[in-house]
Amino acid sequence: QGVRIPTLGSFDVVPTQTQVGNEVVIIQRPVFRLARNLAIVHNLIDDKDDLPGNKELEPMKYAKVATDAFVSRQKVGGCIQGTMSLLSYCLGKGENVALVLRDVG
């Protein structure tokens, strides 16, 4: 199940065919798609071919994340907002950005 984080972007997996020897294997490739507002503000190209068309992604459940991480919902929202702000700042400065998510994919 994919997830959408407003103002930051969305995470999902996309089935991709890969040739392994004489055999074609389908693997699930993790994909991150930057939120439209960030892409527009920073004049970034939106590669719509990465995600299957019209797939509905579930919004991130801030309350569940907060419960699982033993922090408040406000703390989760603040972390997401801080991450989005830092990402936007780095993109605005033309810096390379690596968003590393442990245990995803």
Side-chain angles (χ1 to χ4, degrees):
Q1 173 71 38
V3 66
R4 181 179 47 82
I5 303 171
T7 71
L8 180 60
S10 58
F11 300 89
D12 201 1
V13 292
V14 177
T16 305
Q17 292 184 352
T18 303
Q19 187 76 33
V20 179
N22 295 331
E23 199 174 330
V24 174
V25 178
I26 296 177
I27 60 169
Q28 298 294 330
R29 180 174 59 96
V31 175
F32 170 72
R33 187 173 198 186
L34 191 63
R36 189 176 309 143
N37 62 319
L38 284 176
I40 290 170
V41 165
H42 299 292
N43 295 320
L44 299 173
I45 297 170
D46 187 13
D47 186 0
K48 295 188 184 218
D49 292 338
D50 267 351
L51 292 177
N54 299 325
K55 182 174 181 184
E56 287 293 320
L57 298 180
E58 188 172 315
M60 187 168 99
K61 294 181 171 90
Y62 288 78
K64 173 138 177 44
V65 172
T67 299
D68 291 349
F70 303 104
V71 297
S72 70
R73 188 196 179 292
Q74 291 76 17
K75 180 97 165 173
V76 171
C79 287
I80 295 296
Q81 183 63 37
T83 301
M84 189 279 306
S85 295
L86 179 59
L87 181 63
S88 182
Y89 174 80
C90 292
L91 291 172
K93 298 289 249 172
E95 297 177 11
N96 288 328
V97 178
L99 185 58
V100 179
L101 303 170
R102 241 179 20 171
D103 300 328
V104 173

